Amino acid sequence: MALSRLGGPFASVITGNLIQLGRAVVTSNGRLAASTSTSIASYALGVAIGTVMLRGSLPGWRLRTCVVASVELLLLVGILVGWLITSGSPGTGQALFLLALAATAMGLQSAATLSTGVPEASTTYMTGTFTSFMRAVATDPHLIVAAEAGIARLLSLLAGAVIGALILKFAPLWTPVFPVVLIAGTVVLAAALILEPSSPKPRPSKS
């Protein structure tokens, strides 16, 4: 949605946005420069806010992580509302505002996923994961099994892009609903698992 309807930049891939920003400077494309700058700054803000909220938290998915994900969910709901208000065709200023919300949400998501302590757990950029996978293929195919979590994330990213593109093509007004449902489901499931009472350990019998 950000690529096709919100000015052209990514909501989270800073490498691509920096390239777009450089191209905008050379071609004097003010609109592209504004959108890429907004995306980069908003993503940075999201990472900073998420990091501060999670400061001091132990690695893993904690209640504080659910709070960060809930803030991301609120931003995604804001995008949904703005998308519906503009009938899926936001003007330049409206698109910049929605892009800022999306990039901030993705920054929060990055901070949350990296706080889990899982190596290369990011859900917003996959270059490192893909590089590790290809190195395993080139050096020792047996290492591919060890990279199966990264492969699953890559395939999930591809599936999400395909689903998002299909929704945007055939039911554009429903496009922001997809990420809202995914993040809401994640928050609810994670909170339920965290708050689930652990079964009491049996007391040793006295002989």
Side-chain angles (χ1 to χ4, degrees), residues 8-187:
F10 295 94
S12 61
V13 186
I14 301 304
T15 305
N17 285 341
L18 288 173
I19 294 172
Q20 290 277 62
L21 179 59
R23 185 169 70 88
V25 171
V26 172
T27 60
S28 300
N29 188 330
R31 183 174 181 178
L32 182 59
S35 60
T36 50
S37 298
T38 297
S39 182
I40 294 170
S42 299
Y43 181 86
L45 177 63
V47 173
I49 293 173
T51 301
V52 170
M53 294 178 67
L54 292 166
R55 182 178 294 169
S57 179
L58 295 174
W61 193 282
R62 312 284 177 177
L63 280 177
R64 203 182 298 183
T65 318
C66 288
V67 173
V68 174
S70 297
V71 176
E72 178 194 355
L73 178 60
L74 288 176
L75 293 175
L76 294 176
V77 171
I79 296 169
L80 172 59
V81 172
W83 187 255
L84 293 176
I85 290 176
T86 60
S87 298
S89 299
T92 301
Q94 296 165 331
L96 278 178
F97 179 70
L98 295 180
L99 177 63
L101 293 182
T104 304
M106 294 301 97
L108 285 166
Q109 186 178 122
S110 289
T113 54
L114 291 176
S115 74
T116 62
V118 179
E120 298 183 356
S122 175
T123 57
T124 56
Y125 51 90
M126 298 287 185
T127 304
T129 301
F130 186 69
T131 302
S132 298
F133 170 68
M134 290 310 301
R135 289 186 66 192
V137 171
T139 57
D140 186 357
H142 295 92
L143 296 176
I144 295 176
V145 177
E148 59 184 9
I151 297 173
R153 287 195 293 272
L154 287 168
L155 293 177
S156 298
L157 179 66
L158 177 60
V162 170
I163 294 171
L166 287 173
I167 298 173
L168 187 60
K169 180 177 180 179
F170 295 106
L173 281 180
W174 289 90
T175 306
V177 175
F178 181 50
V180 168
V181 171
L182 287 179
I183 299 301
T186 300
V187 172

